[in-house]
Amino acid sequence: MERRTWIGPSVLMSRQNGNVGTMNFKRDLIEIVKHYFATEGISFEDTGDASDFAARYCEMRIRRIVPRPRDVHFSREIHDSLGSLAREYDKEGCDTKFEAWHTVFYLRQLFVSGESVLPHLSRGVENTATKDGLLWDYGMHHFHLSRKLENSGFVERSDYLLFAIVADTDVYFVDVRRHHDPDNLLWVRQDLLRIVYVNWPELTDTRELHGVSGKTLTDKEIWELRRKNSNHISNLGRQAIAPLGGGTNFAGSSTLCRVWGDKLVREIEQHEKYFYSQPAELRATLEARGMKFCGDMAFELIPLDRVNLSEETVENLQRDDCLSAGLSKMGFAIVEATTRTPIVVTLTKGQSPQPTR
């Protein structure tokens, strides 16, 4: 397959006001994140640099769970919990227990069909300032097992919760627990992690730490560490396991999302350096495909989900020899500002980046 610079349909355009000085991909990123927060109704503090906004964007996308079809897997333990709910409902006629049982399977269908599960999440996902120690430590979401939708857009807080790990293409239903915990340790119960370890060892294998030994912590000790935004190592089946969610930083935010944000900004800076230089070979390639420029070319950063891309374009953007491979895999692309079509630039070994014809 011939690789080429992707510019979409041939068009003629006049950029009378084109000005390379207005091109700022980090500013674009901040505006993208602000638009996402505003559209989703998320409260946020309007301060920080591009890395700060990128990290918060990553956190909220994970916390709010991007809708897409996923396969759902049930642990052996959750089968027991669901069986207990059904038996207790038959014996007591408790509607909340039946509703909890029924909502688990309703959530399963939402995940399988790729629909939003947002109403069942914690209301904390409406504010970037709220913390989620359970998610960043154990890698788990919790879902309220109710079907009654309130004016807030969230379901009524329920007596029972579903704990689950949500991955890109799969969801792992760990267990159902009562919301009320007399010891206030529900969010740090280590038996939740042990269920994951026993049922899906592939989820913990990648987090295993070799040559590590030490004291096994109690749930209470873990609660104290998490309260102080301190990370810890879990002892599962005689194996030391790093936090499944990547851990937290001293601010109580996601360590992995901060790393992701910093990486995204480095990718953006690399693109700013190339596109700000207005390379002659890029202009020649675009003009050869029907574009005409009066003055400087103009480009901007956009999320990939804002443009319709062919499979071929996505493949070209994510090729190892494409300047934007890393950027596109993180969900972004550089587009020509008027036509908003992605630009593919091939990296030639030992030379400067080259647009492919």
Side-chain angles (χ1 to χ4, degrees), residues 305 310 334 347:
D305 58 13
S310 68
I334 303 300
L347 296 170

Side-chain angles (χ1 to χ4, degrees), residues 24-298:
N24 186 323
F25 295 158
K26 288 195 284 289
R27 181 190 61 206
D28 292 343
L29 174 62
I30 292 175
E31 291 306 313
I32 288 168
V33 176
K34 287 182 178 181
H35 179 267
Y36 169 74
F37 288 163
T39 301
E40 295 293 318
I42 299 170
S43 299
F44 65 98
E45 185 178 353
D46 193 9
T47 59
D49 59 16
S51 293
D52 295 325
F53 276 92
R56 282 178 254 168
Y57 174 78
C58 179
E59 284 194 353
M60 297 311 290
R61 298 270 289 184
I62 293 173
R63 292 179 65 190
R64 295 169 72 87
I65 306 177
V66 177
R68 64 170 63 98
R70 294 174 169 91
D71 293 328
V72 179
H73 311 273
F74 285 69
S75 71
R76 289 185 290 273
E77 289 76 6
I78 199 172
H79 283 295
D80 293 338
S81 298
L82 291 172
S84 295
L85 284 174
R87 289 190 298 272
E88 290 170 11
Y89 169 72
D90 289 339
K91 181 179 179 180
E92 304 169 9
C94 179
D95 290 340
T96 58
K97 292 182 179 181
F98 175 78
E99 185 177 45
W101 179 91
H102 186 267
T103 305
V104 169
F105 295 98
Y106 172 69
L107 284 168
R108 175 188 180 278
Q109 184 56 42
L110 292 180
F111 276 118
V112 170
S113 59
E115 298 179 62
S116 174
V117 295
L118 180 62
H120 296 269
L121 295 173
S122 165
R123 292 192 180 96
V125 299
E126 291 187 299
N127 193 324
T128 61
T130 60
K131 309 305 178 185
D132 198 334
L134 176 70
L135 183 56
W136 309 137
D137 188 357
Y138 288 1
M140 292 185 194
H141 285 83
H142 71 277
F143 302 87
H144 289 266
L145 297 179
S146 170
R147 295 289 301 277
K148 183 178 180 181
L149 194 65
E150 298 182 329
N151 292 335
S152 64
F154 291 88
V155 298
E156 187 178 67
R157 305 296 86 176
S158 58
D159 291 342
Y160 291 90
L161 301 173
L162 166 67
F163 290 83
I165 291 179
V166 181
D168 286 340
T169 58
D170 297 89
V171 184
Y172 304 87
F173 282 12
V174 178
D175 204 7
V176 172
R177 301 285 173 91
R178 287 192 67 92
H179 198 169
H180 175 67
D181 184 339
D183 298 322
N184 199 31
L185 299 175
L186 179 63
W187 315 110
V188 297
R189 294 294 185 188
Q190 295 175 81
D191 59 335
L192 290 169
L193 280 179
R194 295 190 185 99
I195 291 173
V196 177
Y197 177 78
V198 171
N199 286 268
W200 308 291
E202 66 275 13
L203 297 183
T204 59
D205 285 348
T206 58
R207 308 301 295 169
E208 184 175 330
L209 301 175
H210 299 278
V212 176
S213 61
K215 174 188 173 184
T216 299
L217 300 173
T218 66
D219 291 348
K220 179 64 175 177
E221 288 171 329
I222 291 176
W223 183 86
E224 287 290 346
L225 288 171
R226 195 183 290 176
R227 185 175 65 84
K228 297 175 181 177
N229 298 328
S230 297
N231 295 307
H232 65 90
I233 304 302
S234 298
N235 180 16
L236 301 177
R238 298 184 179 180
Q239 301 296 330
I241 305 296
L244 296 188
T248 62
N249 56 28
F250 287 126
S253 301
S254 166
T255 298
L256 288 183
C257 287
R258 168 53 67 177
V259 172
W260 185 90
D262 291 343
K263 180 181 177 182
L264 177 58
V265 169
R266 288 196 298 271
E267 289 282 347
I268 288 172
E269 289 173 343
Q270 180 183 14
H271 284 73
E272 280 185 340
K273 182 178 179 181
Y274 175 76
F275 285 95
Y276 192 86
S277 67
Q278 296 283 293
E281 70 275 4
L282 178 58
R283 177 186 289 268
T285 299
L286 297 179
E287 289 182 339
R289 295 196 174 275
M291 290 187 178
K292 293 189 181 298
F293 300 90
C294 295
D296 292 321
M297 298 178 291

